[in-house]
Each structure stands twice: as structure tokens, then as C-alpha cells.
Amino acid sequence: MILILQEIITSAALQMDKKKSDFIAGHLTYPLLAVSLLSSFGSSMLYGYNLAVVNSPSVYIKAFYNATWYQRYGQPLAQSPLTILYSLTVSVFALGGLLGSLLVGILVSRFGRKGTVIKSSPLVFIAAVFMGFSRILSSPEMVIIGRFITGIHSGISLSVVPMYLGEISPKNLRGFLGLMPSIFICLGVFVAQVLGLPELLGQDETWPLFLALIVVPTIVQVSVLPFFPESPRYLLIDKGNVHATINALRCFGGKYDVQDVIEEMQEEQQSLTSVTTVSVYQLLLDRTLFWQTMSVIVINMGMQLSGIDAIWFYTNSIFENAGVPLDEIPYTTVGTGAIEIIAGLVGCFTVEKLGRRPLMIGGFGFMGLCCAGITVALVFQARYPWMRYGSVVCVIGIIAGFCIGPAGLPFIMTGELFKQSHRPAAYIIGGSLNWLSNFTVGFVFPFLQMSAGAFSYLVFCGVCVFVAVYVYFVIPETKNKTFMEISEMFLPRKVLTTSVLSIEDVKLRKMNGYGALESSSLEFSSS
């Protein structure tokens, strides 16, 4: 009896060890998780931090600009020039991001994915020096330059990190790990909101230090990330280094036998007409990739024109206009940051189960509904004071809807819709339009708010609804598919060899408005 029990216990232990080993080896390994956390912590978190860092100390930054102007020219700044100067401070971050996104193609081809993340890190230290010493040197220009430089870094990393994670992840975890950066974006926003409280760094004396704290995550990243491998796809397809590719796959996959993954990458390599990276001009002229390119344009512009940047940049002023008491605004803002993280985690842990499309459609649709709701609440709050709480709820709803899907999925889908040779150009297009839209919202929103008032949010409502409808009708589900399978889903209609083709021979995709054919349903009649 004892021997039987020992056998049962031993067998159960072996089964548990096997399941644990299968989980680690076949799915989420420790190196894969560590790289995802490190690359997101030192890059994506800074993007979120810089989005929200100018919100809390806005009053003190404007006062600093005004005092410096008076010191130089003997007169204070008028309200309109001061608004323009502060709007430039907010939105110049996006101009830097635009420049950084244009450099992505060159950098990733020369230095690789991980190499680009590491080599762009010195930009953060330079930006921190400019912003940290701006008050001591009485130079508003240093704040603006620092914001521009850190924007360049974010423009690079915001495209490269999702590309890196997408290429090192197995297909069944690509969505989960690809949304890791979006969680750290939300975490960066939340950290900026907490540190911006009056009890911490949201004071007149400490706002330069508040802006310069971006060096902390970067130090951690550059200290540890170099010890992990480069993207296996880059090593094999771009560099032809089979030995390094095998080592990288074994590290990330946790198993010795990587032949199946090598074969899948070689299949993609053989399908390329050239391993040379395609330029943006060549990609735009390629008619066979029209719907992929158009989809990248729509979802990346929609991500920023959805109004989320207006919420993040000007949360305090939005709550002030909504009638929230001034002493409660900082804590209300922190509450929205906590909801961002929760929503981001929900999206991260459901993307592989629900897929990309439901999270994108649901996220943009819910944001559009909340944008309409905030308009109604602001219009009627003078008559019904309780409606101001409706504004707060709608702001929270916009943030939650964004973090569930639209915050990170556009970057994942940009990488998924293209093969290796076209991927850098796709990220340049998506990234540049993303940042250009970011700049437009950051610079124009204060003036739009002054002229249109509550109705300014209807613009964002229209954008959200349009993107949700576009995704519904055009973009197919890419969950758990290889890059080759996704590319085949977008192939144009094959030339039919006969003039007779029955309805049963061709079955159109139900959800794809571009009319791509279900490859499994194509059956050609003989001549």
C-alpha cells in the first residue's frame, strides 16, 4: 500500500513538473517576461510619464515663464502669448516624437531592435539635464528643448519596443506581451499624477526635479537589458546569423529544439522578394499592401485623435471647467490614473482570449460614447449641478476605454500586418502620423476648447466612431496567427482561370470589407 501511494505521489509530482516545464518552455518564460518588463519600464513608462508630467505643475511653469519674461523685457506676458508658449511646451514633445519615429527604420536596420532601445537611452539623460537646470538658469527654452529631446526618445522607443516584443514572442503570446508597453504607459501616467500631488513634487520649488526624474527608469533599463539577446527574426532574416538566432530562440523559448520556429522564419524569409528593408515610399506605392497600409494609418491616427491626449495633457483644466473644487482636482486625477492601470491589465489579460478586434472596436466605441456624454454633461451642468460628476465619469470612461485596447493594440497590429522587410517602414508611417496627431491635439485643444467649449469633444466622438466602424468592416482578427498567415489574409483576389465561378466556389469573409477571400474556400473549376 505504501509503495502504491509513493508511486501515485511520484507520478503526480512528475506530472506537475511536466506541466510547469511545459508552461515555462512552451509559453511565458522568465527571460521573455523579464525583457518585456525591462524594455517597457525604461521606454514606454517614460512616454506615459511625459504625457502627464506637465499637467500638475502647469500653474508654476506658466508663472516661471511669466517671471522670466518680465525679468528679460520688463513687462509680463499677455494671456494669449502665455497660452501659446505653454501649449508649445506641451506639444513640442510630440514634435520630437515625430522626428524620432522617422529615424526608426534607419536605426533598427543598423543596430537591431534591442540595440536601438539601448543606444537611444542617452537622449533621456540629455533631456533631464536641460529640464532639471532650467529654473536655476532662468531659461524657459531649456524646458522646451528638454521636452523635445525626450520626445525624440519616446518616438523611437514607442515603435521599436512593440516591434521587438512582437518578434521575440510566440504567436499565442504576441498580444499579451505586446500590450505590456501600454500597461507601463498607464503606469507612467499614474506615477506622474501621484508625484505631482502638492504634498510631493507638485510645488513651485520642485517642478524641475519632477520633470528630470525620467532618468531613473532609463538607468535600470541600460543596466540590465544588454544581457538579453537581440530579436531572433532580425538576427536570421536581416543578418543571416543562424548561430545567434538559435541561441536567442533557446533563451526566450526555454527549450533546446527550435527547429519549428526556424522553419517558420525561413518560410517568411523565402517569401520576401528581397531581405533589404523597404522604404516608406516603396511601401506607399505597393498596391498589394494598400489595405494593410491604410489600416495602419487609420488606427494610429485614431489612437491620438480620439481625444485621449487632450484628457492627459489638460486633465486639471477639464475638471476645473467641469466644476470640480480646486483642492479636490489633484486627487481626482490620481484616481483616474489608478483606473488606467486596471483597464490596461484587463486588456492585457483578455487580448489572447477575446482577440484584437473586440478590444479595438469596444474601446473606440466606448470612448466615442463617453465623448458624447461629456459634451452633454458640460452643456447641462449650469442647470443641473450634479451633472459635473457626469463629466468626471465620462473622463474616466474615456481613459478606461483607451487603456483596454486602443492604447497598445495599434502598435501590435502595425507589426502583425507586415512581413519583416516592410515592418520598419510601416512603423515609420504609423509612428509619424501618431505623433503628428498627438502634436495637433496638444497644441490645438486649448484654443478649440476656448472657441467651441463643450462641443469640442464631439470632434473626438466622431473620430472614435469612425475608427470602430473601420476596424469592424476592414481589419481581420490576427490573434494566434503567424506573420505569414496574416499576410495571406490580405492577399488580393487571385486571378480566376475560368469564366464560370459559382457562389459556392467563393466564400467572402463576413467581416472584411476589403473583400479578401477565405483561402480555404477557394476552389477553382476546371476549364
Side-chain angles (χ1 to χ4, degrees):
M1 189 68 175
I2 295 174
L3 291 174
I4 294 173
L5 285 174
Q6 285 179 341
E7 269 191 34
I8 293 173
I9 293 170
T10 304
S11 176
L14 287 172
Q15 288 294 327
M16 290 178 63
D17 288 342
K18 184 178 183 300
K19 287 182 179 179
K20 184 178 179 182
S21 176
D22 287 343
F23 175 77
I24 294 174
H27 298 283
L28 185 59
T29 63
Y30 295 123
L32 199 56
L33 180 61
V35 167
S36 302
L37 295 174
L38 275 172
S39 57
S40 301
F41 178 68
S43 300
S44 303
M45 185 174 172
L46 295 187
Y47 170 71
Y49 186 86
N50 282 297
L51 283 177
V53 72
V54 292
N55 183 38
S56 300
S58 59
V59 175
Y60 305 120
I61 294 175
K62 289 177 181 178
F64 168 64
Y65 287 175
N66 206 9
T68 305
W69 191 272
Y70 185 84
Q71 183 181 351
R72 290 180 182 178
Y73 305 106
Q75 58 183 5
L77 271 167
Q79 183 61 39
S80 182
L82 182 59
T83 302
I84 292 174
L85 192 59
Y86 181 72
S87 296
L88 180 62
T89 305
V90 172
S91 55
V92 77
F93 173 69
L95 283 181
L98 175 61
L99 177 59
S101 66
L102 294 175
L103 300 173
V104 167
I106 300 172
L107 294 174
V108 297
S109 297
R110 182 174 181 181
F111 301 115
R113 282 57 168 157
K114 185 199 74 173
T116 300
V117 172
I118 296 172
K119 290 185 182 298
S120 62
S121 299
L123 292 171
V124 177
F125 296 98
I126 297 171
V129 169
F130 271 93
M131 294 186 292
F133 289 96
S134 59
R135 182 185 175 93
I136 296 175
L137 300 177
S138 300
S139 175
E141 296 85 357
M142 292 179 68
V143 179
I144 296 173
I145 293 172
R147 290 275 296 170
F148 179 75
I149 295 174
T150 194
I152 296 174
H153 173 264
S154 291
I156 295 170
S157 61
L158 207 60
S159 292
V160 177
V161 171
M163 190 189 306
Y164 181 43
L165 296 182
E167 291 182 4
I168 68 175
S169 306
K171 63 181 181 180
N172 61 312
L173 287 175
R174 205 163 53 229
F176 172 74
L177 294 178
L179 279 182
M180 198 74 72
S182 67
I183 293 177
F184 276 88
I185 290 173
C186 298
L187 183 61
V189 172
F190 179 68
V191 170
Q193 291 167 341
V194 171
L195 292 179
L197 291 172
E199 296 85 352
L200 298 175
L201 298 180
Q203 303 175 23
D204 188 29
E205 301 81 12
T206 54
W207 65 262
L209 173 62
F210 187 25
L211 299 182
L213 279 181
I214 54 178
V215 298
V216 176
T218 306
I219 291 173
V220 176
Q221 185 186 69
V222 297
S223 300
V224 184
L225 190 59
F227 295 100
F228 290 92
E230 180 58 80
S231 160
R233 288 183 177 273
Y234 171 78
L235 293 172
L236 180 66
I237 299 177
D238 289 70
K239 294 299 181 182
N241 192 335
V242 179
H243 180 71
T245 302
I246 293 173
N247 289 336
L249 287 173
R250 287 173 178 170
C251 175
F252 289 131
K255 59 181 181 179
Y256 188 82
D257 185 8
V258 293
Q259 184 63 32
D260 55 339
V261 187
I262 293 284
E263 288 175 356
E264 189 262 315
M265 288 193 291
Q266 287 175 335
E267 182 185 356
E268 180 181 345
Q269 186 179 25
Q270 290 169 3
S271 71
L272 303 176
T273 55
S274 172
V275 294
T276 306
T277 302
V278 172
S279 68
V280 172
Y281 181 72
Q282 291 171 318
L283 178 57
L284 291 174
L285 290 181
D286 192 338
R287 292 187 178 183
T288 63
L289 298 174
F290 173 79
W291 284 109
Q292 289 100 311
T293 306
M294 181 59 66
S295 298
V296 166
I297 292 171
V298 170
I299 60 178
N300 278 278
M301 290 188 68
M303 175 184 174
Q304 300 297 345
L305 296 179
S306 64
I308 188 63
D309 285 322
I311 299 294
W312 274 336
F313 285 150
Y314 302 103
T315 305
N316 285 12
S317 63
I318 291 171
F319 284 156
E320 185 178 349
N321 292 334
V324 178
L326 291 177
D327 56 341
E328 296 179 11
I329 287 177
Y331 307 97
T332 307
T333 303
V334 170
T336 64
I339 291 171
E340 290 167 19
I341 298 175
I342 296 172
L345 289 171
V346 169
C348 186
F349 285 101
T350 59
V351 64
E352 293 300 349
K353 184 176 181 180
L354 299 178
R356 282 65 158 152
R357 280 168 45 83
L359 293 182
M360 286 284 284
I361 296 168
F364 276 111
F366 189 66
M367 289 177 72
L369 181 65
C370 291
C371 284
I374 200 172
T375 301
V376 174
L378 291 175
V379 168
F380 289 100
Q381 72 178 17
R383 186 181 302 177
Y384 306 104
W386 57 268
M387 289 291 283
R388 69 186 183 187
Y389 299 108
S391 301
V392 175
V393 171
C394 288
V395 168
I396 294 173
I398 292 171
I399 293 172
F402 180 77
C403 292
I404 285 176
L409 285 175
F411 299 109
I412 298 175
M413 297 174 75
T414 298
E416 288 182 332
L417 297 182
F418 293 90
K419 296 179 184 178
Q420 187 82 3
S421 58
H422 296 76
R423 201 167 292 136
Y427 271 104
I428 291 174
I429 294 173
S432 59
L433 291 175
N434 188 302
W435 285 102
L436 190 61
S437 303
N438 185 309
F439 172 78
T440 302
V441 173
F443 190 80
V444 172
F445 179 73
F447 302 97
L448 180 65
Q449 196 177 36
M450 285 190 291
S451 59
F455 297 99
S456 59
Y457 297 95
L458 291 181
V459 177
F460 305 132
C461 175
V463 171
C464 291
V465 172
F466 171 77
V467 177
V469 172
Y470 180 90
V471 174
Y472 181 84
F473 283 105
V474 175
I475 301 180
E477 181 56 67
T478 57
K479 180 187 71 171
N480 205 27
K481 291 181 172 64
T482 66
F483 294 119
M484 280 295 297
E485 290 170 342
I486 296 169
S487 296
E488 289 170 1
M489 293 167 67
F490 279 93
L491 285 177
R493 298 185 182 187
K494 296 180 180 179
V495 179
L496 301 179
T497 58
T498 64
S499 58
V500 180
L501 190 65
S502 64
I503 296 175
E504 290 79 10
D505 290 330
V506 180
K507 184 170 67 177
L508 293 176
R509 274 186 197 283
K510 184 178 178 181
M511 310 304 297
N512 295 356
Y514 53 82
L517 299 179
E518 188 80 47
S519 58
S520 62
S521 65
L522 283 175
E523 296 179 2
F524 297 99
S525 303
S526 59
S527 300

